Amino acid sequence: MTKKKKNLILIIPAFLLMGAAIGIQTKELFKQTIIGLVVGIIVYFFLKYRNKKLNK
């Protein structure tokens, strides 16, 4: 389970980079990067909560 905790935090920069890539293509870099960051944080907390619930 420790590997999941270490790798789980890597979701946030992954979504940030995906948002930046989409932003470059659509010419809205800042907007899409912020959206990617917010989505990454939401997914991180959702998976963290789900993992705690499954381990009980």
Side-chain angles (χ1 to χ4, degrees):
M1 187 61 199
T2 54
K3 285 186 177 181
K4 285 184 182 177
K5 287 183 181 178
K6 289 182 183 178
N7 290 334
L8 193 60
I9 195 71
L10 295 176
I11 287 177
I12 296 172
F15 275 97
L16 180 74
L17 290 174
M18 284 193 308
I22 293 170
I24 290 171
Q25 293 175 357
T26 61
K27 308 286 191 233
E28 296 177 348
L29 179 64
F30 186 71
K31 178 182 171 186
Q32 295 296 331
T33 304
I34 296 299
I35 290 172
L37 178 66
V38 170
V39 169
I41 291 171
I42 290 170
V43 169
Y44 170 75
F45 282 115
F46 173 75
L47 291 176
K48 186 176 173 184
Y49 172 74
R50 187 195 68 162
N51 286 344
K52 282 184 182 180
K53 194 173 180 180
L54 288 175
N55 288 336
K56 287 185 180 182

